[in-house]
Amino acid sequence: MARPIWSGTLSFGLLNVPIRLMSGERHNDLHFRLLDQRDNKPIRYERVNAESGEEVPWKEIVKAFEYRKGSYVVLEESDIRGAASEAHEVVEIDTFIDAGEIAPSYFEKPYVLMPAKKAEKGYVLLRETLKKTNRVGIARVVIRTREYLAAVMAQDNALVMNLLRYPADIIDPEDYGLPGKDAKDYRITPKEMEMAKSLIESMAGKWKPSDYRDEFREKLRKVIEKRLAKKGVTADIEEEHEAPEDATTNVVDFMALLKKSIAGNKRTPAAKSGAKATAKSTAKAARSAGKKAAAKKSTGKKVAAKKTAKKAPARRARA
């Protein structure tokens, strides 16, 4: 079973759905190693000092920003972590938009949001509502030390979170001096337009992802298998498919939370509320443990005093 990247909470309004973040992509590339052709031994990459040529261990490596050629400012890991949002392990939805509003160029990487145990009700509630309203949740999420913009959307039985590129990361196509919008400026006749439309209609079909495959990879795989067969070697390079985990149902009063969210138009950040609740329960447990320890200590002293009192006369009698 694949391991989650992290476990956290999907938050919208006052509703918090415990989730696990699972990778939504599988890398099927054939990985090659570079060898020395003289003896077929692997070539190793090393981290070396550009000036001395000596290998540098990981513990001696730091991150730095080159603000001028040859000039650097070193950053600590705490600096990088501190720059990220405090809402770690929370996919916090800020707004819901129409599904068709996001241009394809914004989508970067998919993840599958999987409900934690006993969290299916809230998960299914959001999934089905997104389907019926044809909307997408725009959220912020911190993964490791970086904050991302993300789109939470319903896809079949899943809630899928696509990381989005920020506008600053996308080049406006108009920057490349594209042809204008008016077809007449390019002497395109109505007849040519009709012919092009007829061609497109004749080639129209349904989107079936299963109809497409990486033919280059398949051909290369066959070449590898033939080479292995000549050497008398058999190897299984098929990838394993993970099975979903089982989970049970949950009994949170979602109707009350939905009413409060709509009435107050506010949210309860899962990370903060969870931290407070944990702190309170921890403090309560500590106080309880302290009282029990004190009671045991007091009882122990009384028992010890009684035993001493009983033994003392016996020693005087022997004297």
Side-chain angles (χ1 to χ4, degrees):
M1 178 64 191
R3 295 182 179 179
I5 294 168
W6 56 254
S7 299
T9 306
L10 174 61
S11 172
F12 58 105
L14 294 176
L15 278 75
N16 297 313
V17 182
I19 55 165
R20 286 167 291 171
L21 189 67
M22 315 294 289
S23 177
E25 61 180 351
R26 180 182 287 115
H27 297 286
N28 288 321
D29 292 340
L30 296 172
H31 299 283
F32 297 97
R33 291 291 305 272
L34 298 179
L35 306 179
D36 186 333
Q37 67 174 355
R38 295 169 295 183
D39 55 7
N40 279 355
K41 297 300 181 184
I43 294 174
R44 186 175 62 193
Y45 289 96
E46 295 181 344
R47 301 169 301 279
V48 297
N49 186 304
E51 197 164 306
S52 66
E54 296 179 357
E55 185 173 358
V56 183
W58 276 114
K59 64 179 182 179
E60 301 296 338
I61 295 177
V62 296
K63 293 180 180 178
F65 176 77
E66 187 175 17
Y67 61 90
R68 193 169 53 238
K69 188 68 176 179
S71 299
Y72 306 90
V73 57
V74 176
L75 296 177
E76 302 289 341
E77 286 297 326
S78 58
D79 296 327
I80 299 172
R81 286 194 299 269
S85 167
E86 294 181 358
H88 288 266
E89 300 180 349
V90 180
V91 180
E92 189 162 355
I93 297 176
D94 293 324
T95 186
F96 292 93
I97 66 170
D98 290 336
E101 286 188 43
I102 307 175
S105 55
Y106 280 91
F107 292 100
E108 183 174 9
K109 188 174 184 179
Y111 288 93
V112 176
L113 299 181
M114 188 174 175
K117 291 184 177 180
K118 299 184 180 180
E120 290 85 350
K121 183 174 180 179
Y123 184 92
V124 174
L125 173 64
L126 178 58
R127 183 191 70 196
E128 295 306 308
T129 307
L130 289 177
K131 285 181 181 179
K132 289 181 178 179
T133 58
N134 194 34
R135 291 189 180 271
V136 169
I138 301 300
R140 294 181 183 273
V141 58
V142 175
I143 300 177
R144 297 185 178 94
T145 58
R146 183 182 168 189
E147 184 178 76
Y148 294 89
L149 189 64
V152 177
M153 55 187 64
Q155 180 180 311
D156 298 327
N157 288 332
L159 280 175
V160 175
M161 183 182 77
N162 269 286
L163 296 187
L164 301 176
R165 297 181 177 91
Y166 286 99
D169 298 328
I170 297 175
I171 296 175
D172 187 345
E174 294 299 329
D175 291 349
Y176 293 112
L178 301 173
K181 296 180 180 180
D182 197 342
K184 292 179 181 179
D185 294 343
Y186 300 92
R187 298 178 183 176
I188 297 174
T189 65
K191 188 174 182 179
E192 287 173 327
M193 188 69 77
E194 286 300 320
M195 288 291 289
K197 285 174 63 178
S198 298
L199 175 60
I200 290 174
E201 289 300 326
S202 68
M203 297 175 66
K206 295 287 185 180
W207 166 236
K208 296 180 181 178
S210 58
D211 289 347
Y212 301 90
R213 61 185 188 276
D214 188 344
E215 294 182 2
F216 170 77
R217 179 176 175 273
E218 290 181 0
K219 290 177 181 178
L220 196 56
R221 184 193 184 95
K222 289 178 181 178
V223 171
I224 293 171
E225 289 173 348
K226 284 181 180 178
R227 292 285 179 103
L228 290 173
K230 285 182 179 179
K231 285 190 168 187
V233 178
T234 57
D236 182 13
I237 52 176
E238 290 288 345
E239 298 203 11
E240 295 182 0
H241 297 280
E242 300 87 5
E245 291 185 7
D246 294 329
T248 55
T249 57
N250 140 356
V251 291
V252 176
D253 188 353
F254 286 96
M255 185 59 72
L257 290 173
L258 287 168
K259 287 180 178 177
K260 287 182 181 179
S261 297
I262 294 170
N265 191 23
K266 60 184 179 180
R267 68 177 72 248
T268 302
K272 293 180 180 179
S273 61
K276 287 181 180 177
T278 303
K280 286 182 179 179
S281 61
T282 303
K284 187 176 180 181
R287 287 197 298 272
S288 177
K291 289 179 181 178
K292 288 181 180 179
K296 285 184 179 179
K297 190 173 182 181
S298 176
T299 303
K301 285 182 179 179
K302 289 179 180 178
V303 171
K306 287 181 180 179
K307 287 182 179 179
T308 304
K310 287 180 179 178
K311 289 180 180 179
R315 285 198 297 271
R316 284 197 299 270
R318 284 197 296 271

